[in-house]
Amino acid sequence: MTETSAAALPVPEEATEWIGRETWSGEGTVRSRDFQRWALAVGETNPLYFDIDVAIRYGHAALVMPPMFLPMVVRPLRALGDLRPDGSVPEYDLPGLPPRRMAGGDRSEFLRTVLDGERIYATRVLADIVAKRGRSGDFLLATWTTRYHGVSGELIATTNFSLVAR
Amino acid sequence: MSAGPVSAPGSPAAVQPGDRLPDLRLTVDPVRMFAFSAATHNAHRIHYDLAWTRDEEGYPDLVVQGPLQTALMARQVTDWAGPEGRLVAVTMSNLAATHPGQLLTCGAEVLSVESDPLGRRIELSLTCSHEGKVLVRGTAVVLLHEASGTVC
């Protein structure tokens, strides 16, 4: 994907006004049944996610959460009527953003192991919106940075999720 | 569905820059896509509504969830690293849509191995390809604790 200026979609000014601003905050509790359901869908076999005896043997006080599951811990539950017409969640909506969406990428840093039962607090900031040209045409790439904290306020992880809108 | 665990031919502790991990080859089918959407409370139509996906979004087929692909690529690394390893960072760029039924090859090559106070820090470059076309490109960093029995 190469960035262009002339032929690319215009970046809506009303959306750029959100850059650097907090767009969402939330919290959730890590539940082993939830992350195990995710792990089985991914085909994970790591015993730290499933076997408490192995987790303890490796020095953990509880089952270990797969790191890539972290955004799911705080993901809001939505009534079906609150979803967008395409069925996707509305929390990545911005004024003027084109309607068709798909995942564009991820850049995450996990500072420590997260365990079953932990309470997680998250805040999300719109980091950037840029115009791009891809294999299938022009699109906007919007990136949100989410910071995750534990009960003591310590930073646990940072994720940067990018959304393709076209 | 063919997504068994990645088998490691050698000890991750002996890995060197330039080494390649065993490829993870799999085909994402509708069962896995449904299970992943259920596990992530994801009702986005492009993952199950073929008429919508074709008529409204212009794709030839359903679209495999981007977070599922990146999770599979991360799994390739963590399966190899084992319980002594901890995933500390990933970067992923989705370059093109992936569709169910496509045979995917996840490849990983060691970029660097550095000593860390907690163990060895191994950075890898990752690709997920179909018929030679790279669909997702990324990197991962795992921290491999030297002594088994404790993990940072």
Side-chain angles (χ1 to χ4, degrees):
Chain A
M1 292 189 288
T2 46
E3 201 170 332
T4 61
S5 53
L9 288 171
V11 178
E13 195 172 321
E14 61 270 38
T16 61
E17 291 173 2
W18 280 90
I19 293 174
R21 289 163 63 179
E22 184 175 305
T23 59
W24 175 82
S25 67
E27 58 187 88
T29 301
V30 179
R31 300 290 184 205
S32 59
R33 190 171 173 82
D34 293 340
F35 69 64
Q36 288 170 346
R37 189 179 286 122
W38 179 95
L40 291 171
V42 177
E44 295 277 5
T45 57
N46 191 330
L48 298 179
Y49 307 154
F50 298 99
D51 188 330
I52 185 62
D53 294 332
V54 175
I56 289 172
R57 200 182 323 141
Y58 279 88
H60 303 292
L63 288 171
V64 172
M65 184 196 76
M68 301 293 281
F69 180 78
L70 183 59
M72 293 303 114
V73 177
V74 297
R75 183 171 174 133
L77 297 178
R78 298 284 185 185
L80 297 185
D82 293 338
L83 298 176
R84 304 175 66 248
D86 67 2
S88 67
V89 292
E91 51 254 40
Y92 297 106
D93 267 339
L94 288 169
L97 210 60
R100 292 180 292 176
R101 309 287 166 81
M102 66 178 288
D106 178 32
R107 192 175 76 250
S108 299
E109 190 173 7
F110 307 107
L111 302 180
R112 68 162 172 84
T113 299
V114 174
L115 300 177
D116 182 25
E118 284 198 53
R119 191 75 181 161
I120 306 290
Y121 303 86
T123 56
R124 180 170 297 148
V125 172
L126 178 65
D128 200 13
I129 310 176
V130 292
K132 296 271 194 178
R133 169 160 291 176
R135 290 169 180 166
S136 58
D138 296 339
F139 61 93
L140 299 181
L141 190 70
T143 301
W144 284 262
T145 299
T146 307
R147 292 183 173 83
Y148 301 82
H149 294 83
V151 288
S152 305
E154 80 282 15
L155 185 66
I156 293 173
T158 303
T159 64
N160 296 274
F161 172 71
S162 294
L163 183 79
V164 170
R166 59 184 184 84
Chain B
M1 209 154 41
S2 57
V6 174
S7 60
S11 164
V15 75
Q16 298 294 328
D19 287 353
R20 290 191 62 82
L21 272 56
D23 283 347
L24 171 62
R25 290 190 178 86
L26 78 158
T27 300
V28 177
D29 65 9
V31 173
R32 185 180 296 278
M33 290 177 63
F34 177 88
F36 189 80
S37 280
T40 56
H41 196 65
N42 182 351
H44 197 176
R45 291 178 184 270
I46 62 172
H47 306 310
Y48 59 89
D49 185 339
L50 184 56
W52 173 282
T53 307
R54 283 178 176 163
D55 300 342
E56 302 291 333
E57 306 263 352
Y59 294 106
D61 199 352
L62 299 176
V63 178
V64 173
Q65 300 93 327
L68 171 57
Q69 282 183 276
T70 55
L72 290 166
M73 294 167 72
R75 197 199 99 193
Q76 180 192 17
V77 175
T78 53
D79 276 359
W80 168 79
E84 293 86 1
R86 184 172 76 79
L87 186 70
V88 296
V90 295
T91 66
M92 302 283 188
S93 291
N94 299 84
L95 304 179
T98 300
H99 305 294
Q102 293 180 331
L103 176 62
L104 304 178
T105 300
C106 299
E109 180 177 334
V110 176
L111 292 175
S112 65
V113 181
E114 295 176 2
S115 292
D116 184 281
L118 297 172
R120 296 210 307 163
R121 191 178 173 88
I122 301 168
E123 185 178 14
L124 306 106
S125 69
L126 311 176
T127 55
C128 177
S129 307
H130 171 62
E131 294 182 344
K133 176 181 173 184
V134 177
L135 305 172
V136 187
R137 187 183 300 280
T139 64
V141 179
V142 286
L143 191 58
L144 202 63
H145 202 274
E146 298 291 349
S148 64
T150 54
V151 174
C152 36

